[in-house]
Amino acid sequence: MASTDEDRMRKQREAGERESAKLWRACRTVHEMVRDRGYQLSDAEVTMSFDAFKQKYTTDDGSISRKMMNFSASPTLEMIKRYSNPVTAHDLHPSSPDIGTIWVEFLPDSNVGIKQMRAFAQHLTANNFHTGILITGVNITPAALKIIPAVASETRIECFMEADLLVNITHHELVPQHVLLSKEERTALLQRYRLKDTQLPRIQLGDPVARYLGLRRGQVVKIIRKSETAGRYASYRLCV
Amino acid sequence: MSSYPATSATSSKTKEERDREVALYHANLIQQRKDIELEILLSTETLIDYPLARSPYDASNPSPADAKTFKELLRPFQPSDYDALIVERNINEHCGYALCPNPRVKEEGGGRFRILGMNGKAKDFKVVEKEELEKWCSPACAKRALYVRVQLSETVAWERGAMENAANIDLLDEPKSEDGSLAERMEKMDIETDNAAGKKDAANLALERGDKTMAARNALVNINIQEKDVSKVPQAPSLDDKDLSGRLDSMHLTLEGHTSTFGSRRERRHNEELDGANIDDGEEDSEEDTDWQL
Ligand SMILES: [Zn+2]
């Protein structure tokens, strides 16, 4: 009897450990993602070890508290510059860059519907967060996803599933480096090649890399590939 | 009669004007669609926490006010939107039927299926998915919810006709309280005296106008119905007509006044070929002309 009890305890502990490891990896990927987009995060926050992670987020009952993993980050000066609208002959006083503080929330709920999404949107607007990333363990209902365009004028909501964040796709050797062009760089590129933006090859908004970088419709990314014959070469894609 | 207002109107416009009109038309359609989708979303959000009135009202006897709002909010819903509402209510542990104040049941134990009606008659015997059972507080609510669902139109709201959109939804269990049922009956009476016949006429008129969908309502084509001017007193046809001699060859082909067009169409085509006219255009025009005359 005692041995089966011990057995069960050991199995439970192992399952708990696996769950913690999954959350640690998702947490790490989302920190890398937020930093890669240009928000300010320290190395310590991004490259936290598993032990440090467990120490920081484990609650009294031994499980990881997702609520404690939530965080916010502000854009770096470089990011603000990349999103700024250049002064042109037509536009002497361009609007300020459409970028701001980002809020990342891990939702523990086993069902995510309209109520949870509405609460998330309200949290973002109440605290003046420009962008929010909602990370869930389950699929969000289709009706709840319709809230995102409905509140788009107030705040920008993106959703990821924990399972999608277990590995950082941009670290895969077959995924080339994607770099977002600033508006000035974009204009210069189109002028240099005498192109309209619609003549560029495209990248979909729903493309995993586009989602990782939080690309918006109309933005242009530079894609840098390594080639054995040509060294490094760049191509450009318009986000549609 | 022979000139179409729409064609004469558009021909005087420049290409840019027409392009702009087309763009505006499509933008309007998209906006309309977005508005309705948002309306459905907000209604779903409202109905998650329904009913507002509690005891003594319940699903078998809902409060008149809740029942009324429920019916109104459901108007633009398709069955799929209704299913989404049930999912959202279940997430919040409510019974899937929006006029029921009870929590949904949670079946104990695992397994995907449950057996129902074991000690009743053979026809009551059913194997049901546990997940399906857990949507409701009771089988009665499952019935009530389904009764509403089958009344919803499969057509998306922005493509429905005016009549289809105004259709009323009936509940399996309508409110029973005095004031409410009285109010409802009075409302129905109003509809019957004023509108029953009028509704049908309006539907027929809408059909005749081609005013069927929202798309048609703000369509690019201006449809005006022009009555034919009648200047002389109508006369019944008689055999003494002067042109009778011309019809003598084909009169035996006439059925209740209608002459089949086999011979005449061939003749017409022959004439058109002689005239060098475009046959296709001629055909189309003549077909539309007959439509208008009908
Ligand atoms: Zn119920």
Side-chain angles (χ1 to χ4, degrees):
Chain A
M1 262 331 258
S3 72
T4 54
D5 268 357
E6 255 172 48
D7 225 37
R8 198 183 303 135
M9 289 278 279
R10 187 173 54 82
K11 273 191 180 151
Q12 241 171 32
R13 218 174 29 244
E14 277 172 8
E17 193 82 345
R18 269 200 305 276
E19 172 80 2
S20 305
K22 264 169 63 180
L23 280 174
W24 168 62
R25 291 164 74 180
C27 184
R28 185 171 189 145
T29 305
V30 78
H31 275 86
E32 288 166 351
M33 178 169 94
V34 165
R35 187 163 71 172
D36 287 348
R37 289 187 186 189
Y39 296 94
Q40 187 119 43
L41 284 179
S42 70
D43 279 348
E45 286 170 287
V46 178
T47 57
M48 196 187 297
S49 72
F50 186 33
D51 285 331
F53 173 83
K54 279 192 290 188
Q55 205 172 11
K56 195 169 174 192
Y57 300 123
T58 306
T59 53
D60 294 342
D61 70 350
S63 66
I64 299 284
S65 159
R66 286 179 172 81
K67 216 179 159 80
M68 283 159 63
M69 289 161 61
N70 301 345
F71 67 96
S72 67
S74 307
T76 56
L77 287 175
E78 193 204 335
M79 185 185 195
I80 292 170
K81 217 177 138 211
R82 199 178 320 139
Y83 276 82
S84 64
N85 300 300
V87 178
T88 59
H90 312 287
D91 197 359
L92 291 172
H93 303 286
S95 50
S96 53
D98 184 14
I99 200 78
T101 316
I102 190 169
W103 171 252
V104 180
E105 183 164 328
F106 291 82
L107 204 63
D109 300 29
S110 55
N111 285 298
V112 183
I114 286 181
K115 288 240 166 173
Q116 286 85 346
M117 186 63 89
R118 187 60 91 183
F120 183 64
Q122 272 158 3
H123 179 75
L124 295 178
T125 38
N127 294 283
N128 283 319
F129 290 120
H130 177 277
T131 309
I133 294 184
L134 187 63
I135 300 162
T136 56
V138 291
N139 277 314
I140 298 170
T141 63
L145 290 174
K146 289 182 187 155
I147 299 225
I148 298 175
V151 298
S153 60
E154 298 158 45
T155 187
R156 188 181 287 273
I157 298 179
E158 300 170 36
C159 302
F160 288 88
M161 284 195 35
E162 281 166 13
D164 296 335
L165 296 170
L166 296 185
V167 288
N168 187 328
I169 46 155
T170 62
H171 292 178
H172 194 283
E173 60 173 325
L174 291 179
V175 177
Q177 194 190 352
H178 288 60
V179 182
L180 171 64
L181 296 192
S182 70
K183 288 194 178 158
E184 260 167 313
E185 291 168 329
R186 182 184 184 279
T187 317
L189 170 81
L190 296 177
Q191 270 171 2
R192 186 170 356 127
Y193 294 105
R194 294 173 191 284
L195 289 171
K196 276 195 228 162
D197 57 1
T198 49
Q199 290 171 305
L200 288 173
R202 289 161 183 208
I203 182 169
Q204 300 285 332
L205 265 183
D207 177 280
V209 179
R211 265 166 55 74
Y212 181 89
L213 292 175
L215 295 188
R216 303 172 190 175
R217 213 168 258 121
Q219 287 183 327
V220 175
V221 277
K222 181 179 184 178
I223 300 175
I224 304 156
R225 287 171 210 273
K226 291 192 192 92
S227 148
E228 285 186 13
T229 50
R232 280 150 60 95
Y233 69 97
S235 59
Y236 299 88
R237 280 174 192 267
L238 172 74
C239 185
V240 290
Chain B
M1 193 60 232
S2 56
S3 88
Y4 295 90
T7 29
S8 57
T10 42
S11 58
S12 63
K13 283 177 190 152
T14 64
K15 188 181 176 302
E16 285 85 71
E17 277 176 327
R18 263 178 289 142
D19 285 351
R20 218 184 83 82
E21 233 168 59
V22 170
L24 201 67
Y25 162 74
H26 285 285
N28 270 336
L29 277 191
I30 291 169
Q31 190 54 49
Q32 235 161 29
R33 187 187 159 150
K34 275 189 178 168
D35 289 347
I36 292 177
E37 277 174 337
L38 182 64
E39 187 190 326
I40 291 175
L41 175 65
L42 295 179
S43 297
T44 306
E45 237 177 319
T46 307
L47 290 173
I48 290 177
D49 294 318
Y50 254 56
L52 300 179
R54 297 288 144 140
S55 165
Y57 300 113
D58 61 14
S60 68
N61 176 26
S63 95
D66 285 350
K68 188 162 173 275
T69 319
F70 176 57
K71 291 175 183 182
E72 277 167 10
L73 292 181
L74 278 189
R75 267 193 193 144
F77 277 53
Q78 285 174 268
S80 58
D81 299 318
Y82 186 70
D83 292 341
L85 167 64
I86 293 167
V87 170
E88 296 294 334
R89 284 181 62 88
N90 286 168
I91 288 178
N92 293 281
E93 304 302 338
H94 299 315
C95 169
Y97 181 53
L99 289 174
C100 176
N102 298 336
R104 68 188 181 116
V105 293
K106 286 264 186 179
E107 286 274 313
E108 294 289 318
R112 262 187 69 197
F113 297 96
R114 290 290 180 275
I115 299 169
L116 295 185
M118 291 266 271
N119 33 24
K121 288 175 222 138
K123 75 175 173 69
D124 294 332
F125 181 81
K126 257 194 265 180
V127 179
V128 186
E129 267 188 79
K130 176 182 168 222
E131 204 179 295
E132 180 60 34
L133 279 181
E134 288 186 335
K135 287 181 184 169
W136 324 103
C137 71
S138 61
C141 269
K143 260 190 209 160
R144 291 180 188 119
L146 184 67
Y147 189 83
V148 170
R149 190 185 188 274
V150 295
Q151 296 175 64
L152 301 174
S153 167
E154 292 277 358
T155 317
V156 287
W158 52 91
E159 282 174 9
R160 288 182 201 166
M163 288 306 117
E164 197 178 356
N165 245 347
N168 211 7
I169 291 166
D170 293 323
L171 304 179
L172 188 59
D173 291 303
E174 293 281 353
K176 292 183 179 68
S177 62
E178 261 310 302
D179 51 332
S181 60
L182 187 66
E184 181 127 321
R185 260 184 289 144
M186 279 175 67
E187 209 172 275
K188 273 200 179 139
M189 239 162 62
D190 196 23
I191 289 169
E192 268 152 23
T193 48
D194 277 333
N195 287 342
K199 224 172 177 177
K200 209 166 177 224
D201 285 347
N204 286 336
L205 181 63
L207 193 71
E208 197 178 314
R209 278 181 181 157
D211 178 26
K212 221 179 164 270
T213 64
M214 256 190 220
R217 232 170 286 149
N218 36 15
L220 292 171
V221 187
N222 257 328
I223 299 173
N224 291 323
I225 296 179
Q226 290 187 352
E227 294 293 337
K228 191 175 176 181
D229 286 332
V230 181
S231 47
K232 56 181 180 183
V233 182
Q235 274 177 347
S238 74
L239 279 172
D240 305 328
D241 259 356
K242 269 179 249 153
D243 61 317
L244 185 65
S245 57
R247 285 165 37 212
L248 269 178
D249 309 343
S250 61
M251 253 182 89
H252 63 288
L253 295 172
T254 303
L255 280 172
E256 298 192 2
H258 173 74
T259 314
S260 57
T261 55
F262 176 71
S264 57
R265 180 173 290 182
R266 204 168 50 174
E267 201 174 83
R268 196 173 65 214
R269 194 168 292 195
H270 179 68
N271 286 341
E272 274 162 359
E273 269 167 308
L274 286 180
D275 291 348
N278 190 328
I279 295 168
D280 285 340
D281 276 354
E283 290 272 284
E284 245 172 52
D285 274 347
S286 67
E287 262 165 41
E288 268 174 7
D289 273 340
T290 36
D291 275 355
W292 282 101
Q293 276 153 7
L294 283 174

